[in-house]
Amino acid sequence: MNENIVTLQKYNLWGSNTLDWGYKRNEYTDKIVDYMGNRLIKALVGQRRSGKSYILRQVAKQLIDNGVKLENTLFINREFTDFDFLKTYRELDELIKLYKKALNPSGKVYVFIDEVQLIEGWEKTVNSYAQDFAESYELFISGSNSKMLSGEPATLLSGRYVCFEIFPFSYSEYTGITQKEKGRQSYMEYLGSGGLPELFMLPGQELKRNYMSTIKDTVLLRDIIQRHNIRDPKLLEDIFVFLVNNVSSLVSVNNIVKYFKGQGRKTSYDAVFTYIGYIEDTFLVHRCNRYDIKGKDTLSGNAKFYINDLAYKNYLYPGYGYGLGYMVENLVYLELRRAGFNVYTGSLRNKKVDFVARKADRVIYLQSVYMLADEATVEREYSALEAIDDHFEKVVVSLDEITLPLREGIKHIQAWELKNLFNPD
């Protein structure tokens, strides 16, 4: 038997191994299934180890449960060393043809390709099969770099794909997998841990710390340093550490340059700007640009950054202190992004609004705070929203045990109930 077929057999449903399905992430699989039954390429993007492979397998399982034959599914995970031979789009094409010849599937074939960006020119083969009118294929791809669908791939695949950004486990998924009761206590535990799926299989803090360090090193080394021939790897990591430890604070490239110069390190605006872009591309951090609420436009310059998972803060850099309110703000940002909103930080004269969230015709102005501990805090958070003179939704999110009554149309929501704002029961 051809050795490449043996490799495929090892990782496919028609092979001899039983695959790990993982915790069912219905919010993603349901969205993906809604887009199925056509020639659109389904692209899953997100940080390494955020669960993209599990979601692809869960989509395949749903297909099989609905009558698709095992041999009509093909999994290729380019991240596995067994697939190191798969370097170019031509070799990808040859591998798919080899599978077809060996199994001779009848009817539509569902092709799943993990970490597709590691295959040079992948978009040529993916586009060819997705648009093949002689035979029927449906393609699902995943990648860990936001630029995988830009440049030449974007030109070739324009209008032929739909993209799904995959995040680590949300709070509701956290309570689902841990079977914890929803409320302040479990939310605080989630706040102090993280949402990357593998963390839930590791029993101790030290193992979790080592795991997070490995992910960080892998992303920085393989996805940035090696790919872009980084000349100053230490600067790259130090910029990442700076962003982690300045979550939810307005920062600029000039701020960061001055910070390093204050430590006696020489760097340039261009280097810092470029390195931040590379870090963003891998989904380790997210940029939240400023938005002029009165002028209805985005602002250049300072921006806020949020980390893709608080596990980086909790396990790798716990010694750098900032308040729980900043961590809550980070989780609220991620929850808004999971719900499909474009998210900005608001500016209105001398007032600051944590988030301006926009999706289609819906706009939500949102303040995030750890606790509404006293009248001064209540006044500060509510007055910023009251200064906005339009009629879009206005919300304050906190970890208070009680919910405050409606004030001037402004809702108060407990952080663990935030999902209900987007998906009411």
Side-chain angles (χ1 to χ4, degrees), residues 193 196-211 315:
S193 180
L196 290 174
E198 295 292 336
L199 285 174
F200 296 87
M201 302 178 188
L202 300 175
Q205 295 292 99
E206 189 60 30
L207 287 174
K208 292 180 179 181
R209 186 175 300 110
N210 290 338
Y211 174 70
Y315 296 115

Side-chain angles (χ1 to χ4, degrees), residues 94-310:
E94 290 170 3
L95 188 62
I96 296 174
K97 288 177 177 174
L98 182 65
Y99 145 79
K100 288 272 292 187
K101 182 178 180 181
L103 273 76
N104 193 29
S106 175
K108 180 184 282 190
V109 172
Y110 298 85
V111 182
F112 301 82
I113 310 172
D114 252 335
E115 300 299 342
V116 71
Q117 81 281 352
L118 298 176
I119 303 172
E120 183 182 348
W122 61 267
E123 66 277 4
K124 297 174 184 178
T125 295
V126 166
N127 181 66
S128 175
Y129 279 90
Q131 302 306 314
D132 189 335
F133 287 91
E135 299 184 67
S136 185
Y137 298 90
E138 194 155 352
L139 277 86
F140 304 78
I141 61 175
S142 80
S144 302
N145 192 289
S146 64
K147 293 294 191 293
M148 64 176 274
L149 291 168
S150 64
E152 188 174 331
T155 301
L156 185 61
L157 302 179
S158 179
R160 296 176 177 176
Y161 70 90
V162 59
C163 191
F164 306 88
E165 185 170 357
I166 308 302
F167 290 88
F169 283 151
S170 66
Y171 169 68
S172 62
E173 289 176 315
Y174 171 82
T175 55
I177 197 170
T178 62
Q179 296 297 297
K180 293 180 182 291
E181 184 178 349
K182 185 169 69 173
R184 190 177 192 278
Q185 180 177 338
S186 60
Y187 194 88
M188 288 296 294
E189 292 170 359
Y190 175 64
L191 186 80
S193 180
L196 290 174
E198 295 292 336
L199 285 174
F200 296 87
M201 302 178 188
L202 300 175
Q205 295 292 99
E206 189 60 30
L207 287 174
K208 292 180 179 181
R209 186 175 300 110
N210 290 338
Y211 174 70
M212 293 307 303
S213 181
T214 299
I215 291 179
K216 181 259 298 179
D217 291 343
T218 299
V219 173
L220 295 184
L221 178 62
R222 293 183 57 183
D223 297 339
I224 301 179
I225 294 172
Q226 291 179 352
R227 180 176 181 180
H228 299 287
N229 297 315
I230 296 298
R231 296 180 179 180
D232 193 346
K234 184 66 166 63
L235 176 63
L236 176 72
E237 181 167 3
D238 288 346
I239 290 173
F240 174 63
V241 175
F242 180 93
L243 295 176
V244 169
N245 290 309
N246 286 274
V247 157
S248 82
S249 297
L250 280 171
V251 298
S252 68
V253 173
N254 283 326
N255 292 152
I256 300 174
V257 172
K258 289 178 181 178
Y259 168 78
F260 286 123
K261 286 185 176 179
Q263 293 187 324
R265 297 180 59 182
K266 291 184 179 180
T267 186
S268 68
Y269 181 99
D270 288 345
V272 172
F273 178 84
T274 300
Y275 285 8
I276 289 175
Y278 291 156
I279 294 170
E280 288 182 80
D281 290 346
T282 62
F283 302 96
L284 287 179
V285 301
H286 304 277
R287 180 192 299 266
C288 185
N289 288 316
R290 289 187 303 153
Y291 182 84
D292 181 356
I293 294 174
K294 184 174 178 61
K296 308 298 182 186
D297 199 9
T298 55
L299 301 170
S300 60
N302 294 358
K304 289 186 177 184
F305 289 88
Y306 297 96
I307 47 180
N308 198 47
D309 196 312
L310 286 178

Side-chain angles (χ1 to χ4, degrees), residues 340-359:
F341 286 89
N342 294 317
V343 186
Y344 310 88
T345 182
S347 178
L348 180 66
R349 296 184 290 275
N350 62 334
K351 301 285 187 181
K352 303 297 181 185
V353 176
D354 289 331
F355 298 118
V356 179
R358 307 176 66 91
K359 182 168 69 170

Side-chain angles (χ1 to χ4, degrees), residues 43-92:
L44 281 62
V45 297
Q47 182 203 305
R48 283 181 183 269
R49 305 293 182 266
S50 58
K52 301 184 296 296
S53 299
Y54 282 108
I55 292 171
L56 288 179
R57 289 199 288 269
Q58 289 167 11
V59 170
K61 186 175 188 303
Q62 192 160 334
L63 287 169
I64 291 161
D65 289 345
N66 290 332
V68 172
K69 297 177 182 178
L70 295 176
E71 60 267 25
N72 283 61
T73 62
L74 174 62
F75 277 89
I76 300 169
N77 191 331
R78 180 57 185 83
E79 191 174 24
F80 294 158
T81 56
D82 283 351
F83 288 98
D84 280 351
F85 67 89
L86 192 56
K87 293 181 171 61
T88 71
Y89 72 95
R90 293 187 184 279
E91 290 163 335
L92 175 61

